Amino acid sequence: MKTLKLFAGLVMGTALCGPVAAQDNLDKLGNMQKTGATFTMIEQTGATADSLAAIIPHINVPKGFEVSLYAVVPDARSMAVAPQGTVVFVGTRKDKVWSVVDRDRNRVADQVMDFAPSITFDIPNGPCFSSDGFLYIAERNRVLQFPAAEFFFEGPDPAVGVVVKQGDLIPAEEESFNHTARVCRIGPDGKLYISLGQPHNIQPLDKLEMYDKIGMGGIIRMNTDGSGREVFTRGVRNSVGHDFNPANGDLWWTDNQTDGMGDDIPPGEINRQTAAGQHFGYPWLGGINTVIPDYKDVPRPEGVEFIPPAVEMQAHAADLGMSFYRGKSFPAEYQKGIFSAQHGSWNRTVPVGAQVMFTKVDDEGNAAGTEVFADGWLNKDTGEYRGRPMDIAFLPDGSMLVSDDFAGAIWRIAYAGEAAE
Amino acid sequence: MKLLVSLALGGVILAGGAFAENAGDRAAGKKLAGQCRTCHGIDGKAQIPIAPHIGGEPADYIVHQLTAFRDGTRTHEMMTIVAKSLTDQQILDLAAWYSGNTISTTLTNDPADAPEVCVACHGVDGIALIPDAPNLAGETNIYIDTQLKAFRNGKRTQELMTPIAKELTDVDIRAVADWYSEVQIEIKMVE
């Protein structure tokens, strides 16, 4: 084929990490060999950092909290704080995973560079850690595992294993470039949980059964070696954030709802799942009881109870990443609750969202009130975004990190008031 | 072809508007583009990775794609919804607005390495040379990758692209996508 020679030349020409080399690299890295890949470093001072710093005065937080710029990170999406707390791994909807390092622990990153530059990533949105230091990265259609990533990230060729090989997460023909940003977490059972959005606004009827079986429009779980895959959560539209309640192991997750039904319906969702296999109603229902017209006359799955969301959120605000607060430094009222990021709307007449929300969780594990925690990333006068919060994570000191893929930043929100009780 | 290949590394070409022969009203298009700006920018420079740059895009291509999204022959989680309510005239207006802005490119790699199978229509620097082809310059590589795979598996069809994509491996596709995504672009709004 005529193009083959050309592509070989192209790889040589760009020299850094051509894709032909990349497939070989996965094999090479598995054998602990070197590839010759080089890092992309992101400047942490200068014009970009200055323009990001100028956003900070616009961000509103409750009394006693302070906002700062933690790092300049292009396209920053879901975050995973490594167990030792030195490095934060940050996914993107492009082709990079960033390592963000704060060696001197002054709570400002001093080094941001791409992780595993020898590997050709494809929408590596979702990093997550096991407590014993394995980093998992859920891509559009592959899942990789990096042992001791917190120590190996400084070399371009970290050890890597394949948990789900390319094309086995979903059928390749179902790949899209929107509802394909995965997130993952290791559950209390030690299994790997991965969200799988379905690649439509509303899935067509002829795809319904196939998606349900695969777990598209759901959350799947598997052993960390990729075996024992099963659908854990059904009836989801496109979830891009989940976390386990450390108090009782319930899985909570956000879900983005149907577009094109108007500005104010269906409500966004934060869901609470208490058992494997529960069905949350999509594509029949959005929010507690908004009927999706396309499925009005489609019989609901027999013998299945739809679990309503624990919290209805503002329609189209795009609730994405979320984390339970496990730290100590925030005031007592925030402890054990959920912080979640609203990415902001895209075609709502008046833009909404672009804020950090807080949901209190009571001793019985129920949602007990949701409020705005931080806002100001949306300029309400012009409807323009200054930034778009995407995910929430916490440093070992209990301070919050907010990733922002629009501004290309990670913001830090710390409590500077009197110490919590 | 020779002309393009002889471009110096780092050279700049201006394009855009060259194919804008339609009955669209730019002022009306700009107004309508309020619904597009969150993702594509008011000037057509994409604001999010999943959206392509459409400032300086050939008008015919914009018309063709919006019509395809409206008719359901091309689908996307978001575009299927917003295109549904557009009239033929609105599509022409939007195409007139966005195609009338200009895009300029700067190559960062050796033009001799441009993907041979693509350059006749999409240019060495990713600026379309025929009316019904998109600019590829500076698009997120995953966007181009996704489209080529959609042509290959039949989810998206086009008489030229379908047979070309069928010959490409995943590695070929990513190489093409990387080439065009690394082209630097600047989009200027023309009032």
Side-chain angles (χ1 to χ4, degrees):
Chain A
M1 177 179 124
K2 183 168 82 168
T3 49
L4 277 183
K5 186 177 99 228
L6 162 79
F7 288 123
L10 196 146
V11 168
M12 306 262 284
T14 53
L16 294 176
C17 51
V20 170
Q23 187 47 52
D24 295 337
N25 284 349
L26 206 50
D27 302 333
K28 271 190 191 164
L29 294 176
N31 297 320
M32 306 288 273
Q33 292 171 317
K34 288 191 190 317
T35 63
T38 56
F39 286 112
T40 302
M41 311 292 293
I42 301 300
E43 196 62 58
Q44 294 300 303
T45 54
T48 305
D50 292 347
S51 67
L52 289 171
I55 295 173
I56 292 171
H58 296 286
I59 300 173
N60 310 303
V61 286
K63 193 164 176 283
F65 287 90
E66 281 179 1
V67 186
S68 58
L69 176 63
Y70 185 72
V72 180
V73 183
D75 313 300
R77 296 275 300 183
S78 299
M79 298 179 282
V81 178
Q84 302 286 317
T86 314
V87 192
V88 182
F89 291 86
V90 185
T92 69
R93 277 207 287 187
K94 292 185 173 175
D95 61 357
K96 291 218 177 346
V97 176
W98 301 105
S99 66
V100 176
V101 186
D102 174 25
R103 273 198 191 79
D104 57 8
R105 313 225 167 197
N106 67 344
R107 311 308 174 203
V108 179
D110 29 57
Q111 176 187 289
V112 176
M113 63 184 191
D114 52 341
F115 172 65
S118 46
I119 290 176
T120 302
F121 288 111
D122 179 60
I123 318 186
N125 183 86
C128 58
F129 263 101
S130 66
S131 55
D132 54 352
F134 286 77
L135 172 66
Y136 295 85
I137 296 179
E139 297 180 87
R140 171 160 58 175
N141 206 354
R142 180 175 66 176
V143 182
L144 299 177
Q145 178 200 56
F146 299 88
E150 188 164 18
F151 304 100
F152 287 150
F153 78 96
E154 298 197 72
D157 303 322
V160 60
V162 177
V163 178
V164 178
K165 75 175 171 46
Q166 185 65 42
D168 281 1
L169 203 52
I170 60 168
E173 61 275 16
E174 299 298 334
E175 290 177 8
S176 70
F177 189 16
N178 188 21
H179 294 171
T180 39
R182 319 290 180 208
V183 294
C184 65
R185 281 282 202 276
I186 301 291
D189 54 0
K191 289 179 191 275
L192 176 61
Y193 289 71
I194 300 169
S195 64
L196 298 179
Q198 55 78 24
H200 300 270
N201 178 34
I202 304 161
Q203 59 266 56
L205 191 51
D206 62 356
K207 302 270 188 186
L208 190 63
E209 195 184 335
M210 188 229 319
Y211 288 178
D212 190 48
K213 198 171 283 176
I214 297 169
M216 291 176 68
I219 299 171
I220 59 168
R221 70 173 172 185
M222 63 187 73
N223 299 317
T224 51
D225 63 0
S227 66
R229 172 176 171 162
E230 62 185 329
V231 178
F232 183 75
T233 314
R234 299 171 66 198
V236 184
R237 180 172 174 272
N238 179 43
S239 174
V240 199
H242 62 239
D243 194 14
F244 292 91
N245 183 350
N248 63 9
D250 288 349
L251 178 64
W252 289 67
W253 42 273
T254 58
D255 195 12
N256 287 275
Q257 293 306 312
T258 309
D259 289 307
M261 291 177 64
D263 277 358
D264 299 315
I265 57 165
E269 296 181 0
I270 296 180
N271 293 278
R272 174 193 182 190
Q273 185 171 357
T274 54
Q278 285 176 333
H279 196 299
F280 290 77
Y282 203 76
W284 287 270
L285 293 176
I288 293 171
N289 55 16
T290 303
V291 173
I292 307 301
D294 304 35
Y295 278 78
K296 179 167 55 78
D297 301 321
V298 177
R300 297 180 178 191
E302 225 166 288
V304 170
E305 180 201 357
F306 290 165
I307 312 288
V311 186
E312 284 194 336
M313 305 294 280
Q314 185 171 15
H316 309 297
D319 301 281
L320 300 185
M322 56 160 281
S323 284
F324 276 86
Y325 190 72
R326 295 171 169 84
K328 296 271 183 276
S329 61
F330 279 14
E333 62 189 288
Y334 296 109
Q335 295 193 10
K336 300 175 182 170
I338 298 167
F339 287 93
S340 57
Q342 290 189 329
H343 200 229
S345 59
W346 64 277
N347 73 335
R348 196 176 181 280
T349 314
V350 178
V352 293
Q355 49 196 9
V356 176
M357 307 298 292
F358 174 70
T359 298
K360 197 173 169 58
V361 177
D362 66 21
D363 290 342
E364 280 75 52
N366 299 309
T370 297
E371 62 192 55
V372 175
F373 176 74
D375 66 8
W377 285 278
L378 174 62
N379 181 337
K380 289 186 175 157
D381 297 331
T382 63
E384 288 173 304
Y385 290 99
R386 299 182 175 104
R388 284 174 168 257
M390 191 276 151
D391 193 25
I392 307 290
F394 296 96
L395 291 173
D397 70 354
S399 62
M400 177 192 292
L401 300 181
V402 181
S403 67
D404 179 336
D405 60 345
F406 184 82
I410 294 178
W411 311 101
R412 178 172 176 266
I413 302 178
Y415 187 64
E418 286 173 32
E421 292 162 23
Chain B
M1 280 315 304
K2 279 213 173 94
L3 174 75
L4 282 175
V5 172
S6 69
L7 276 173
L9 187 66
V12 174
I13 330 175
L14 275 167
F19 306 114
E21 301 165 23
N22 63 72
D25 174 344
R26 291 200 77 228
K30 184 182 182 186
K31 212 168 156 195
L32 265 176
Q35 333 174 4
C36 317
R37 66 183 293 174
T38 302
C39 302
H40 294 281
I42 192 66
D43 54 359
K45 178 130 198 260
Q47 302 289 299
I48 57 173
I50 65 168
H53 305 296
I54 56 175
E57 192 97 282
D60 286 2
Y61 178 76
I62 298 178
V63 170
H64 198 163
Q65 297 313 308
L66 283 175
T67 309
F69 281 123
R70 187 182 62 185
D71 299 347
T73 46
R74 185 180 173 190
T75 61
H76 183 262
E77 290 96 318
M78 299 159 99
M79 284 309 299
T80 301
I81 300 157
V82 286
K84 200 175 282 176
S85 61
L86 295 174
T87 64
D88 289 347
Q89 187 59 46
Q90 287 176 319
I91 287 176
L92 289 173
D93 294 346
L94 284 168
W97 168 249
Y98 279 117
S99 68
N101 296 327
T102 59
I103 180 168
S104 57
T105 63
T106 308
L107 290 180
T108 55
N109 295 313
D110 184 346
D113 294 331
E116 200 176 319
V117 69
C118 313
V119 296
C121 300
H122 297 282
V124 164
D125 64 344
I127 298 299
L129 300 174
I130 60 168
D132 193 24
N135 297 337
L136 301 178
E139 302 296 14
T140 305
N141 53 359
I142 308 298
Y143 174 80
I144 301 173
D145 176 283
T146 305
Q147 300 311 316
L148 282 171
K149 286 175 177 168
F151 283 122
R152 188 176 63 183
N153 68 31
K155 201 154 68 173
R156 203 180 154 183
T157 56
Q158 203 270 347
E159 53 182 351
L160 294 172
M161 284 312 301
T162 300
I164 289 170
K166 286 210 189 304
E167 295 299 314
L168 301 177
T169 65
D170 283 0
V171 171
D172 296 338
I173 283 174
R174 185 58 180 266
V176 167
D178 284 346
W179 165 265
Y180 283 117
S181 75
E182 283 167 17
V183 176
Q184 306 283 315
I185 63 164
E186 193 185 344
I187 289 177
K188 284 213 173 90
M189 203 147 81
V190 177
E191 291 289 349

